[in-house]
Protein backbone atom coordinates (compact mmCIF):
# COMPACT_ATOMS: atom_id res chain seq x y z
CA UNK A 1 0.00 0.00 0.00
CA UNK A 2 1.35 3.40 -0.96
CA UNK A 3 0.64 6.93 0.08
CA UNK A 4 0.40 9.54 -2.64
CA UNK A 5 1.74 13.02 -2.13
CA UNK A 6 -1.75 14.30 -1.43
CA UNK A 7 -2.97 11.46 0.74
CA UNK A 8 -4.79 9.60 -2.01
CA UNK A 9 -3.35 6.23 -1.13
CA UNK A 10 -2.25 4.51 2.05
CA UNK A 11 0.95 3.59 3.83
CA UNK A 12 1.87 0.05 4.71
CA UNK A 13 -0.20 -0.91 7.73
CA UNK A 14 0.70 -3.53 10.29
CA UNK A 15 -2.03 -4.67 12.72
CA UNK A 16 -1.18 -3.85 16.32
CA UNK A 17 -2.11 -6.16 19.15
CA UNK A 18 -0.72 -4.26 22.14
CA UNK A 19 -2.51 -1.68 24.25
CA UNK A 20 -4.16 0.92 22.01
CA UNK A 21 -3.35 4.57 22.24
CA UNK A 22 -5.79 7.05 23.85
CA UNK A 23 -6.79 8.17 20.36
CA UNK A 24 -8.17 4.71 19.65
CA UNK A 25 -10.11 4.84 22.90
CA UNK A 26 -11.61 8.10 21.67
CA UNK A 27 -12.67 6.39 18.45
CA UNK A 28 -14.41 3.69 20.49
CA UNK A 29 -16.33 6.36 22.37
CA UNK A 30 -17.34 7.96 19.08
CA UNK A 31 -18.76 4.63 17.92
CA UNK A 32 -21.19 4.55 20.84
CA UNK A 33 -21.86 8.27 21.09
CA UNK A 34 -22.27 8.70 17.35
CA UNK A 35 -25.04 6.12 17.16
CA UNK A 36 -26.85 7.71 20.05
CA UNK A 37 -26.47 11.39 19.32
CA UNK A 38 -25.05 12.20 15.90
CA UNK A 39 -26.91 15.16 14.43
CA UNK A 40 -29.23 15.28 17.44
CA UNK A 41 -31.14 18.54 17.79
CA UNK A 42 -31.23 19.62 21.42
CA UNK A 43 -34.76 20.43 22.52
CA UNK A 44 -33.58 23.62 24.23
CA UNK A 45 -31.95 24.87 21.02
CA UNK A 46 -34.97 23.89 18.95
CA UNK A 47 -37.37 25.67 21.28
CA UNK A 48 -35.24 28.82 21.31
CA UNK A 49 -35.00 28.99 17.51
CA UNK A 50 -38.74 28.48 17.15
CA UNK A 51 -39.42 31.42 19.49
CA UNK A 52 -37.24 33.99 17.76
CA UNK A 53 -37.55 35.74 14.42
CA UNK A 54 -35.54 38.23 12.41
CA UNK A 55 -31.77 38.34 12.04
CA UNK A 56 -29.99 36.62 14.94
CA UNK A 57 -26.42 36.08 13.78
CA UNK A 58 -24.66 35.18 17.05
CA UNK A 59 -27.13 32.46 18.11
CA UNK A 60 -26.91 30.81 14.69
CA UNK A 61 -23.10 30.99 14.64
CA UNK A 62 -23.15 29.28 18.04
CA UNK A 63 -25.58 26.60 16.87
CA UNK A 64 -23.52 25.90 13.76
CA UNK A 65 -20.28 25.56 15.74
CA UNK A 66 -21.98 23.40 18.37
CA UNK A 67 -23.46 21.12 15.74
CA UNK A 68 -20.14 20.52 14.04
CA UNK A 69 -18.15 20.00 17.25
CA UNK A 70 -20.71 17.45 18.49
CA UNK A 71 -21.30 15.91 15.04
CA UNK A 72 -19.49 12.61 15.56
CA UNK A 73 -20.07 11.41 12.01
CA UNK A 74 -18.51 14.57 10.56
CA UNK A 75 -15.53 14.25 12.91
CA UNK A 76 -14.99 10.60 12.04
CA UNK A 77 -14.95 11.43 8.34
CA UNK A 78 -12.53 14.31 8.85
CA UNK A 79 -10.34 12.05 10.99
CA UNK A 80 -10.20 9.57 8.13
CA UNK A 81 -9.51 12.25 5.53
CA UNK A 82 -6.46 13.65 7.32
CA UNK A 83 -5.19 10.33 8.68
CA UNK A 84 -2.35 10.09 6.15
CA UNK A 85 -2.08 13.79 5.27
CA UNK A 86 1.08 15.35 6.68
CA UNK A 87 1.35 18.71 4.92
CA UNK A 88 -0.91 21.60 5.87
CA UNK A 89 -1.27 22.44 2.17
CA UNK A 90 -2.80 19.04 1.44
CA UNK A 91 -4.99 19.16 4.55
CA UNK A 92 -6.22 22.57 3.45
CA UNK A 93 -7.16 21.27 0.00
CA UNK A 94 -9.23 18.36 1.29
CA UNK A 95 -10.87 20.31 4.11
CA UNK A 96 -11.75 23.10 1.66
CA UNK A 97 -13.36 20.61 -0.73
CA UNK A 98 -15.36 19.16 2.16
CA UNK A 99 -16.39 22.66 3.27
CA UNK A 100 -17.50 23.65 -0.24
CA UNK A 101 -19.54 20.48 -0.52
CA UNK A 102 -21.38 20.66 2.78
CA UNK A 103 -21.89 24.44 2.58
CA UNK A 104 -23.51 24.16 -0.86
CA UNK A 105 -26.10 21.51 -0.05
CA UNK A 106 -26.75 22.84 3.44
CA UNK A 107 -27.70 26.29 2.15
CA UNK A 108 -29.65 25.03 -0.87
CA UNK A 109 -31.36 22.28 1.10
CA UNK A 110 -32.71 24.65 3.73
CA UNK A 111 -33.56 27.48 1.35
CA UNK A 112 -35.56 25.24 -0.97
CA UNK A 113 -36.85 23.01 1.82
CA UNK A 114 -35.66 19.75 0.30
CA UNK A 115 -37.69 16.99 1.91
CA UNK A 116 -35.14 14.20 2.27
CA UNK A 117 -35.20 11.44 4.88
CA UNK A 118 -32.62 12.31 7.52
CA UNK A 119 -32.20 8.59 8.24
CA UNK A 120 -31.16 7.80 4.68
CA UNK A 121 -28.86 10.81 4.44
CA UNK A 122 -27.20 9.95 7.74
CA UNK A 123 -26.79 6.34 6.56
CA UNK A 124 -24.89 7.67 3.53
CA UNK A 125 -22.79 9.79 5.87
CA UNK A 126 -21.97 6.61 7.78
CA UNK A 127 -21.05 5.08 4.44
CA UNK A 128 -18.61 7.94 3.85
CA UNK A 129 -16.81 6.96 7.05
CA UNK A 130 -16.62 3.34 5.87
CA UNK A 131 -15.37 4.45 2.46
CA UNK A 132 -12.57 6.54 3.91
CA UNK A 133 -11.46 3.84 6.35
CA UNK A 134 -11.26 1.31 3.50
CA UNK A 135 -9.35 3.85 1.41
CA UNK A 136 -6.84 4.31 4.23
CA UNK A 137 -6.47 0.53 4.43
CA UNK A 138 -5.68 0.36 0.71
CA UNK A 139 -8.68 -1.90 0.08
CA UNK A 140 -9.65 -0.49 -3.32
CA UNK A 141 -6.17 -1.02 -4.73
CA UNK A 142 -6.08 -4.62 -3.51
CA UNK A 143 -9.65 -5.50 -4.48
CA UNK A 144 -10.08 -3.64 -7.77
CA UNK A 145 -6.58 -2.52 -8.72
CA UNK A 146 -7.65 1.14 -8.83
CA UNK A 147 -7.40 4.13 -6.53
CA UNK A 148 -10.51 6.35 -6.39
CA UNK A 149 -10.02 10.07 -6.85
CA UNK A 150 -9.97 11.08 -3.21
CA UNK A 151 -10.55 14.78 -3.92
CA UNK A 152 -13.72 14.07 -5.91
CA UNK A 153 -14.90 11.61 -3.25
CA UNK A 154 -14.34 14.18 -0.49
CA UNK A 155 -16.36 16.78 -2.39
CA UNK A 156 -19.22 14.35 -3.17
CA UNK A 157 -19.45 13.12 0.40
CA UNK A 158 -19.29 16.75 1.48
CA UNK A 159 -22.52 17.28 -0.46
CA UNK A 160 -24.18 14.51 1.53
CA UNK A 161 -22.83 15.80 4.84
CA UNK A 162 -24.29 19.21 3.97
CA UNK A 163 -27.62 17.66 3.11
CA UNK A 164 -27.53 15.96 6.49
CA UNK A 165 -27.00 19.36 8.09
CA UNK A 166 -29.92 20.77 6.08
CA UNK A 167 -32.33 18.07 7.27
CA UNK A 168 -31.50 18.94 10.87
CA UNK A 169 -31.72 22.70 10.37
CA UNK A 170 -35.19 22.20 8.91
CA UNK A 171 -36.16 20.57 12.21
CA UNK A 172 -35.51 23.92 13.88
CA UNK A 173 -38.44 25.33 11.87
CA UNK A 174 -36.59 28.60 11.32
CA UNK A 175 -38.70 31.70 10.67
CA UNK A 176 -38.65 33.08 7.12
CA UNK A 177 -37.79 36.53 8.46
CA UNK A 178 -34.00 36.81 8.30
CA UNK A 179 -33.61 33.29 6.91
CA UNK A 180 -30.68 33.98 4.54
CA UNK A 181 -28.48 35.92 7.03
CA UNK A 182 -29.22 33.35 9.73
CA UNK A 183 -28.33 30.47 7.42
CA UNK A 184 -25.07 32.16 6.46
CA UNK A 185 -24.33 32.71 10.15
CA UNK A 186 -25.03 29.04 10.84
CA UNK A 187 -22.64 28.09 8.06
CA UNK A 188 -19.95 30.36 9.50
CA UNK A 189 -20.48 28.61 12.82
CA UNK A 190 -20.10 25.23 11.15
CA UNK A 191 -16.78 26.29 9.67
CA UNK A 192 -15.61 27.63 13.05
CA UNK A 193 -16.62 24.37 14.70
CA UNK A 194 -14.87 22.40 11.99
CA UNK A 195 -11.69 24.44 12.49
CA UNK A 196 -11.79 23.86 16.25
CA UNK A 197 -12.38 20.11 15.86
CA UNK A 198 -9.74 19.83 13.14
CA UNK A 199 -7.18 21.64 15.30
CA UNK A 200 -7.75 19.23 18.18
CA UNK A 201 -7.51 16.22 15.85
CA UNK A 202 -4.33 17.51 14.22
CA UNK A 203 -2.65 18.15 17.58
CA UNK A 204 -3.50 14.62 18.73
CA UNK A 205 -2.38 13.14 15.41
CA UNK A 206 0.90 15.08 15.40
CA UNK A 207 1.85 13.69 18.79
CA UNK A 208 0.73 10.18 17.86
CA UNK A 209 2.69 10.18 14.59
CA UNK A 210 5.91 10.91 16.48
CA UNK A 211 5.58 7.66 18.40
CA UNK A 212 6.55 4.20 17.20
CA UNK A 213 2.99 3.02 17.83
CA UNK A 214 1.48 5.00 14.95
CA UNK A 215 2.11 2.48 12.17
CA UNK A 216 1.53 -0.43 14.56
CA UNK A 217 -1.93 0.84 15.42
CA UNK A 218 -2.88 2.61 12.17
CA UNK A 219 -4.55 -0.55 10.88
CA UNK A 220 -6.55 -0.97 14.09
CA UNK A 221 -7.56 2.69 14.14
CA UNK A 222 -9.04 2.48 10.65
CA UNK A 223 -10.79 -0.81 11.41
CA UNK A 224 -12.41 0.85 14.44
CA UNK A 225 -13.37 3.82 12.28
CA UNK A 226 -14.87 1.50 9.68
CA UNK A 227 -16.81 -0.29 12.42
CA UNK A 228 -18.12 3.06 13.62
CA UNK A 229 -19.33 3.80 10.10
CA UNK A 230 -21.16 0.46 9.89
CA UNK A 231 -22.74 1.12 13.30
CA UNK A 232 -23.98 4.49 12.08
CA UNK A 233 -25.36 2.93 8.89
CA UNK A 234 -27.16 0.19 10.79
CA UNK A 235 -28.56 2.60 13.36
CA UNK A 236 -29.92 4.99 10.72
CA UNK A 237 -31.37 2.26 8.46
CA UNK A 238 -33.08 0.72 11.47
CA UNK A 239 -34.55 4.09 12.33
CA UNK A 240 -35.77 4.51 8.76
CA UNK A 241 -37.45 1.08 8.71
CA UNK A 242 -39.20 1.46 12.07
CA UNK A 243 -40.12 5.15 11.72
Amino acid sequence: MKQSSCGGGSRALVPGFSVLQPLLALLSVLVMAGAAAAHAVAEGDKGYIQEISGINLIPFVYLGAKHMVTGYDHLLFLFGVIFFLYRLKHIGIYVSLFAVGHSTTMLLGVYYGWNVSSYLIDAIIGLSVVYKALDNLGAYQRWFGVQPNTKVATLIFGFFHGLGLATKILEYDIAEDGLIPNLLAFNVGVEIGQLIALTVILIAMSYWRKTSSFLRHAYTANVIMMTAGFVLIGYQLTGYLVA
Side-chain angles (χ1 to χ4, degrees):
M1 288 170 280
K2 299 179 180 180
Q3 177 195 13
S4 70
S5 61
C6 235
S10 303
R11 297 175 70 96
L13 302 179
V14 179
F17 297 101
S18 58
V19 179
L20 300 182
Q21 298 296 309
L23 185 57
L24 301 187
L26 174 60
L27 279 173
S28 299
V29 172
L30 291 178
V31 172
M32 303 304 298
H39 281 310
V41 177
E43 288 301 320
D45 294 338
K46 186 175 181 179
Y48 172 75
I49 293 302
Q50 291 175 338
E51 291 176 0
I52 64 175
S53 61
I55 299 176
N56 295 273
L57 301 183
I58 300 302
F60 279 94
V61 169
Y62 165 76
L63 288 173
K66 177 182 177 182
H67 190 90
M68 177 56 76
V69 171
T70 58
Y72 305 103
D73 44 5
H74 294 306
L75 299 184
L76 280 170
F77 183 72
L78 281 175
F79 175 78
V81 167
I82 70 169
F83 197 89
F84 284 123
L85 295 179
Y86 293 85
R87 298 182 180 179
L88 288 178
K89 174 184 176 181
H90 297 158
I91 293 172
I93 291 172
Y94 280 86
V95 171
S96 296
L97 287 170
F98 182 64
V100 168
H102 71 64
S103 296
T104 300
T105 48
M106 185 199 74
L107 294 172
L108 292 177
V110 175
Y111 184 77
Y112 290 106
W114 290 345
N115 186 20
V116 183
S117 170
S118 61
Y119 289 112
L120 294 181
I121 293 299
D122 286 349
I124 295 175
I125 291 175
L127 179 63
S128 73
V129 175
V130 173
Y131 157 81
K132 194 56 201 174
L134 288 173
D135 184 41
N136 289 343
L137 293 170
Y140 307 116
Q141 294 177 7
R142 292 199 309 271
W143 295 347
F144 310 112
V146 297
Q147 173 58 49
N149 187 315
T150 52
K151 293 187 180 70
V152 173
T154 300
L155 178 62
I156 291 175
F157 280 123
F159 289 143
F160 285 105
H161 279 252
L163 200 53
L165 285 169
T167 62
K168 298 309 173 184
I169 297 174
L170 289 172
E171 293 183 18
Y172 286 125
D173 194 21
I174 302 176
E176 291 292 331
D177 184 18
L179 177 62
I180 299 300
N182 289 337
L183 280 180
L184 293 175
F186 186 91
N187 190 59
V188 169
V190 166
E191 299 309 322
I192 293 174
Q194 178 172 281
L195 182 60
I196 293 172
L198 187 62
T199 299
V200 173
I201 294 173
L202 284 174
I203 291 174
M205 289 293 292
S206 65
Y207 279 105
W208 189 26
R209 286 168 176 166
K210 293 176 182 178
T211 69
S212 61
S213 68
F214 177 67
L215 288 180
R216 291 203 309 270
H217 296 316
Y219 179 93
T220 308
N222 281 279
V223 169
I224 293 176
M225 183 171 69
M226 179 176 61
T227 302
F230 279 123
V231 169
L232 290 171
I233 293 171
Y235 178 82
Q236 297 300 336
L237 290 180
T238 300
Y240 175 76
L241 293 175
V242 302

